[in-house]
Amino acid sequence: QVQLVESGGGWVQAGGSLRLSCAASGRTFSGINMAWFRQAPGKEREFVIAISKSGDSTYYANSVKGRFAISRDNAKNTVYLQMNSLKPEDTAVYYCAADEVVLTTIAERYDYWGQGTQVTVSS
């Protein structure tokens, strides 16, 4: 089992920045692929960004390219989502996801999920 705890959500004005963190426990962190998804009210959960076990590979949704970045600190068992130039349409609950095998944009393929953290961007 992998336990994931997100933090860092909050309220920010459009154009601002936030950094989310996701702390993992229960497995060797360097053996886990990590991703962030988000879900806005009334919408399906959507892929945001992902990073491979080693950190060598990253994948971005087109909607966040150039604005969001993902990184991981395997010594701290933590993955980060740096969000810049935030827009009102980025408002959502952001979820951290993990899997020991897959690295994909498909939410259903991830075995482990955090509880989510709310991000609200006002115009």
Side-chain angles (χ1 to χ4, degrees):
Q1 290 291 329
V2 177
Q3 292 78 43
L4 303 172
V5 179
E6 302 101 332
S7 61
W11 178 90
V12 65
Q13 286 189 323
S17 298
L18 280 175
R19 189 176 82 155
L20 306 183
S21 300
C22 174
S25 61
R27 285 286 191 270
T28 301
F29 187 64
S30 59
I32 305 170
N33 297 306
M34 302 295 297
W36 289 92
F37 288 76
R38 66 187 181 187
Q39 188 166 18
K43 295 188 177 182
E44 294 186 353
R45 192 168 298 190
E46 66 171 353
F47 171 76
V48 176
I49 202 164
I51 189 166
S52 62
K53 300 172 184 180
S54 64
D56 289 345
S57 298
T58 56
Y59 301 90
Y60 297 78
N62 288 334
S63 59
V64 306
K65 277 183 180 178
R67 300 189 299 122
F68 289 13
I70 189 170
S71 61
R72 64 190 296 159
D73 186 337
N74 285 351
K76 295 184 177 179
N77 293 351
T78 301
V79 65
Y80 303 99
L81 175 60
Q82 179 67 43
M83 304 185 292
N84 300 324
S85 301
L86 282 161
K87 304 175 181 180
E89 51 264 44
D90 295 318
T91 295
V93 177
Y94 282 72
Y95 296 91
C96 178
D99 198 273
E100 294 166 287
V101 178
V102 301
L103 182 64
T104 177
T105 62
I106 302 171
E108 291 77 8
R109 298 292 304 277
Y110 286 87
D111 283 341
Y112 306 106
W113 292 85
Q115 80 288 353
T117 185
Q118 176 70 46
V119 171
T120 303
V121 184
S122 66
S123 57

